[in-house]
Amino acid sequence: MGFGDLKSAAGLQVLNDFLADRSYIEGYVPSQADIAVFEAVATPPPAELCHALRWYNHIKSYEKQKASLPGVKKALGKYGPADVEDTTGATTDSKDDDDIDLFGSDDEEESEEAKKLREERLAQYESKKSKKPAVVAKSSILLDVKPWDDETDMAKLEECVRSIQVDGLVWGSSKLVPVGYGIKKLQIQCVVEDDKVGTDMLEERITAFEDYVQSMDVAAFNKI
Amino acid sequence: GPQELALLERSLGLQEGNKYGVQGERKIPVLQTSNGPGLIGLVTIAAYLVKQAKKEQLLGSTAEEKAVVQQWLEYRVTQVDGCSGKEDTRIILKDLNMYLEDKVYLAGNNFTLADVLMYYGLHPIIADLTVQEKEKYLNVSRWFNHIQHYPGVRQHLSNVIFIKNRLYTNAH
């Protein structure tokens, strides 16, 4: 994680790409995560890094409230895209995660809006601790499932295939394709998470329906 | 119409109890008030509800911010609601995408009624976009995803999915 060196053009580019579809470094409200990165960036990013600049100007508008934003400042290496190497030399000590400052009771002027934001942020922080924010590799696979003969009930065959429910497997659309002699094969699309589902396993499960399925082939395989 | 106003009431934390009707062919919402002829029109009623909820900051703080909020409320009723067909939709999304490039919220740095009503108005359009279109209008997607996560706004409306791994574009 981390953005690399945020004082370098390369680091700012990583930040810019990261923020293209995000309003904040973490979650959907401004937090100490934004303050940590903001302080590391120090000066406004150049105009061509439009997402980083948008974020920078937005966080700047919270300058006065920065101490009361939710969350706990962590080492810079803890933020940002999961696939970037942490070059900040920070330790992977996760003790910080348990130390949520409940923002004391000395802020009497807290508006209702800020309170709601803070509570939402806390809930997100809790759920984030239990989820892995990894980037998931997926593939789109087109399978050809062949029946024994032209009398095979293709509707039942499709039902059998779709009944295979596995974590990391999502069935897509399908169609029947004639292959000659009145026989039709089932061509069905699926999207799989690479580290959970493989074509071997799919073949095993599908050909297990021996009454209907003669064989299965991979017609097309694309990384997405 | 009335359903949207009910959504708005809940997002503002108001107790329900206001009575809504519709008027005319275009089904313009009407709010019956205890004294007077009633309030007519989505924007009029929405602004009234904001004040009822004592959340006037949602209408903007500075003179400029208030004007920008009004601008987008007007846009919602004239452009978004009057939109028919793919070409109109494309123009709206293109304009909005350019506008949002350097802004987190429609009014700049603060969440306002403009964000709420534009979100409700655009929801059916955005929900129907393809993955490719959502990537094309990247700033709109970012803003929409942000607003739908804002506490109290989305309620029972469907959560529109935005994929984090960009499939189509490598250059921004």
Side-chain angles (χ1 to χ4, degrees):
Chain A
M1 300 198 63
F3 300 99
D5 178 4
L6 280 169
K7 299 250 191 322
S8 73
L12 285 174
Q13 183 66 58
V14 174
L15 179 66
N16 191 58
D17 288 346
F18 182 76
L19 289 170
D21 57 358
R22 290 176 174 84
S23 300
Y24 302 103
I25 297 294
E26 275 186 349
Y28 296 94
V29 294
S31 68
Q32 293 300 329
D34 298 284
I35 300 300
V37 180
F38 181 85
E39 287 173 351
V41 172
T43 58
E48 65 266 14
L49 298 181
C50 63
H51 306 293
L53 183 58
R54 173 208 3 108
W55 166 85
Y56 184 91
N57 287 330
H58 183 67
I59 300 305
K60 191 150 197 297
S61 75
Y62 288 93
E63 197 114 68
K64 298 209 190 96
Q65 303 140 284
K66 68 178 177 188
S68 64
L69 291 181
V72 175
K73 251 196 245 177
K74 297 189 277 202
L76 272 186
K78 304 270 184 213
Y79 302 120
D83 52 0
V84 171
E85 216 190 290
D86 179 357
T87 57
T88 60
T91 61
T92 47
D93 181 17
S94 60
K95 212 161 63 124
D96 290 343
D97 290 350
D98 296 325
D99 231 294
I100 302 180
D101 171 25
L102 292 179
F103 317 113
S105 50
D106 30 17
D107 200 54
E108 294 134 58
E109 309 252 302
E110 187 176 56
S111 72
E112 228 210 320
E113 195 110 74
K115 182 168 193 269
K116 260 169 74 179
L117 280 175
R118 189 209 341 139
E119 273 162 11
E120 164 86 351
R121 176 69 192 128
L122 264 181
Q124 277 173 11
Y125 197 99
E126 300 293 326
S127 66
K128 251 199 154 198
K129 266 162 58 169
S130 49
K131 286 200 206 125
K132 266 175 69 165
V135 171
V136 181
K138 288 191 182 165
S139 301
S140 165
I141 314 182
L142 186 63
L143 299 170
D144 275 350
V145 184
K146 298 195 181 76
W148 290 107
D149 55 31
D150 59 344
E151 297 193 347
T152 306
D153 184 345
M154 292 309 289
K156 201 76 182 61
L157 186 149
E158 180 170 346
E159 219 183 276
C160 291
V161 172
R162 285 186 187 277
S163 75
I164 300 172
Q165 293 292 331
V166 177
D167 181 30
L169 168 67
V170 176
W171 290 112
S173 61
S174 63
K175 62 181 186 204
L176 293 175
V177 178
V179 292
Y181 307 109
I183 303 179
K184 296 198 179 71
K185 69 181 175 183
L186 174 72
Q187 228 180 37
I188 183 165
Q189 191 86 46
C190 64
V191 174
V192 300
E193 284 178 40
D194 292 342
D195 52 7
K196 289 187 182 152
V197 178
T199 51
D200 293 336
M201 186 262 262
L202 280 176
E203 180 161 11
E204 229 181 87
R205 301 278 300 256
I206 291 178
T207 53
F209 294 105
E210 288 173 345
D211 293 337
Y212 298 95
V213 178
Q214 188 223 103
S215 65
M216 179 209 97
D217 288 306
V218 174
F221 189 107
N222 294 301
K223 291 242 163 263
I224 54 170
Chain B
Q3 300 100 314
E4 184 175 351
L5 289 168
L7 274 174
L8 181 61
E9 274 182 337
R10 281 195 292 268
S11 79
L12 290 171
L14 284 173
Q15 300 290 9
E16 296 173 38
N18 284 321
K19 288 229 167 321
Y20 298 108
V22 289
Q23 166 174 300
E25 246 181 53
R26 284 185 299 143
K27 307 255 192 287
I28 304 194
V30 179
L31 168 59
Q32 284 307 333
T33 51
S34 50
N35 47 334
L39 298 177
I40 303 175
L42 175 71
V43 172
T44 308
I45 299 176
Y48 172 78
L49 291 177
V50 165
K51 290 178 187 163
Q52 231 188 3
K54 303 214 199 316
K55 296 195 171 167
E56 314 233 10
Q57 67 276 18
L58 291 179
L59 294 173
S61 315
T62 63
E64 194 183 325
E65 216 179 62
K66 286 181 187 165
V68 171
V69 171
Q70 288 306 313
Q71 173 191 304
W72 286 103
L73 293 178
E74 208 178 289
Y75 188 92
R76 155 74 207 272
V77 177
T78 56
Q79 306 300 327
V80 178
D81 287 356
C83 150
S84 55
K86 261 298 181 182
E87 188 52 27
D88 286 348
T89 308
R90 194 189 61 79
I91 295 176
I92 291 177
L93 291 174
K94 180 161 152 295
D95 286 346
L96 203 51
N97 199 53
M98 263 191 337
Y99 179 82
L100 285 169
E101 187 179 83
D102 62 348
K103 296 177 194 63
V104 174
Y105 297 107
L106 287 172
N109 283 322
N110 295 308
F111 174 76
T112 62
L113 182 64
D115 297 292
V116 181
L117 289 192
M118 280 294 282
Y119 163 77
Y120 288 143
L122 287 171
H123 186 275
I125 296 177
I126 305 289
D128 270 349
L129 291 183
T130 64
V131 173
Q132 205 167 0
E133 286 169 321
K134 284 179 206 164
E135 265 189 45
K136 180 173 172 195
Y137 303 113
L138 189 57
N139 301 316
V140 178
S141 297
R142 169 189 35 89
W143 165 82
F144 190 91
N145 197 22
H146 181 149
I147 302 305
Q148 74 177 353
H149 279 87
Y150 198 93
V153 175
R154 179 169 76 82
Q155 296 174 53
H156 66 267
L157 292 177
S158 64
N159 185 34
V160 179
I161 306 287
F162 296 93
I163 308 186
K164 285 290 179 182
N165 313 333
R166 257 156 271 152
L167 304 182
Y168 293 95
T169 52
N170 285 314
H172 306 294

